[in-house]
């Protein structure tokens, strides 16, 4: 059955691709990293608050990218930044990474490649994919996003990693170059994200926007991004609900 593609009120264009922020919106990074950190600690005789460790590692994410966004450092893929941040996170909890083999560190760093999908993600993406191009619009590099998709069963049509756009959100080129790779006008692309700041930046770049609530992304005490904080085109509590609102 064909549908009339959703027309974005903010761009005035029919949406042809619905792209998704990935960490936190499509996959549960905190649970995934904590699970693998706990397994690492048990295997190597360390005592570790796995969820606090996941939070600490994630907290280094934005500062690492900011050095690239501001031109202090040339583009470096996210796997490398995660590896550098892992070194800091381990030292913070009293574990000396110099005492661990490169194989052990590489495997722990690949926690980000094996993150679990939120329970509604696969169903919702599959429904949206019937009528729209779907893929990630993420700061993850291509191999990371590919491994994640295969592990979690994410039914992407296309994967355009940040190592292809050579920039990190929320810089405008992260959104615009992704649209260019798809031969689409910015207004024909919708970003779906659980983070209001990401949606503000994507709207400024000319994309359509959809907010998806993930109120436990940062654990039970989350205080930010509990609700839409802008007049986004659409807002939903899950990806299947977003599919409903898109007519999919």
């Amino acid at each position: 059955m064909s549908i009339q593609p959703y027309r974005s009120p903010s761009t005035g264009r029919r949406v042809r691709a619905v792209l998704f922020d990935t960490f936190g919106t499509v996959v549960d990074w905190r649970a995934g990293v904590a699970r693998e950190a706990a397994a690492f600690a048990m295997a190597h005789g360390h005592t570790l608050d796995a969820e606090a460790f996941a939070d600490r590692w994630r907290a280094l994410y934005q500062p690492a990218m900011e050095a690239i966004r501001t031109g202090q450092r040339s583009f470096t893929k996210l796997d490398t930044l995660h590896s550098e941040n892992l070194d800091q996170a381990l030292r913070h909890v009293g574990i000396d990474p110099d005492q661990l083999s490169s194989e052990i560190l590489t495997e722990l760093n690949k926690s980000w490649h094996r993150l679990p999908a939120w329970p509604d993600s696969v169903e919702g993406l599959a429904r949206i994919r019937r009528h729209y191009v779907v893929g990630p619009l993420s700061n993850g590099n291509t191999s990371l996003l590919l491994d994640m998709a295969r592990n979690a069963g994410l039914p992407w049509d296309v994967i355009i990693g940040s190592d292809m756009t050579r920039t990190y959100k929320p810089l405008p080129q992260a959104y615009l170059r992704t649209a260019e790779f798809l031969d689409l006008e910015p207004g024909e692309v919708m970003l779906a994200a659980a983070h209001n700041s990401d949606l503000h930046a994507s709207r400024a770049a000319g994309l359509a926007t959809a907010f998806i609530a993930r109120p436990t992304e940062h654990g039970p005490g989350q205080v930010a991004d509990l609700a839409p904080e802008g007049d986004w085109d659409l807002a939903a509590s899950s990806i299947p609900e977003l599919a409903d609102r898109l007519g999919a």
Side-chain angles (χ1 to χ4, degrees):
M1 182 180 71
S2 63
I3 67 163
Q4 187 72 4
Y6 176 81
R7 184 181 292 276
S8 160
S10 65
T11 70
R13 303 296 294 266
R14 295 286 184 187
V15 170
R16 295 178 58 192
V18 183
L19 306 183
F20 289 79
D21 169 69
T22 306
F23 298 112
T25 301
V26 176
V27 297
D28 184 354
W29 62 264
R30 189 173 191 262
V33 171
R35 176 190 63 200
E36 301 231 6
F40 156 80
M42 181 175 293
H44 299 285
H46 298 293
T47 300
L48 188 67
D49 181 333
E51 291 182 339
F53 181 81
D55 291 338
R56 176 70 182 180
W57 195 357
R58 176 69 174 183
L60 299 169
Y61 171 79
Q62 289 293 344
M65 290 187 296
E66 187 61 15
I68 295 166
R69 288 189 289 244
T70 58
Q72 299 173 51
R73 182 178 184 180
S74 61
F75 183 83
T76 305
K77 70 179 182 178
L78 189 59
D79 270 338
T80 301
L81 300 182
H82 275 158
S83 180
E84 294 170 355
N85 294 343
L86 173 60
D87 186 280
Q88 294 184 55
L90 288 169
R91 293 183 192 280
H92 182 77
V93 296
I95 299 173
D96 184 357
D98 294 335
Q99 301 302 310
L100 299 169
S101 70
S102 61
E103 291 79 10
I104 289 170
L105 292 171
T106 296
E107 190 63 18
L108 183 55
N109 197 47
K110 284 195 172 181
S111 300
W112 298 94
H113 291 229
R114 297 187 288 265
L115 301 178
W118 292 108
D120 63 81
S121 291
V122 173
E123 173 200 347
L125 293 174
R127 286 179 52 195
I128 295 170
R129 184 173 180 260
R130 294 176 196 150
H131 304 289
Y132 301 87
V133 173
V134 298
L137 204 171
S138 169
N139 286 326
N141 48 276
T142 303
S143 64
L144 185 162
L145 295 170
L146 175 60
D147 286 347
M148 183 193 297
R150 291 179 64 85
N151 180 73
L154 305 176
W156 301 133
D157 286 307
V158 63
I159 295 174
I160 300 170
S162 58
D163 50 330
M164 295 174 67
T165 61
R166 308 296 289 180
T167 190
Y168 284 122
K169 298 186 297 180
L171 292 182
Q173 290 306 312
Y175 309 98
L176 296 174
R177 287 174 186 163
T178 301
E180 287 172 8
F181 273 117
L182 297 174
D183 283 333
L184 296 177
E185 294 297 322
E188 296 177 307
V189 177
M190 171 176 280
L191 176 70
H195 312 119
N196 286 283
S197 59
D198 200 356
L199 295 174
H200 279 294
S202 63
R203 172 166 285 183
L207 276 63
T209 52
F211 177 83
I212 300 171
R214 296 299 190 195
T216 60
E217 176 191 352
H218 295 277
Q222 182 168 322
V223 296
D225 290 320
L226 298 176
E229 297 170 7
D231 58 337
W232 314 129
D233 293 308
L234 296 171
S237 61
S238 67
I239 299 180
E241 184 180 343
L242 177 61
D244 290 340
R245 293 179 180 275
L246 287 167

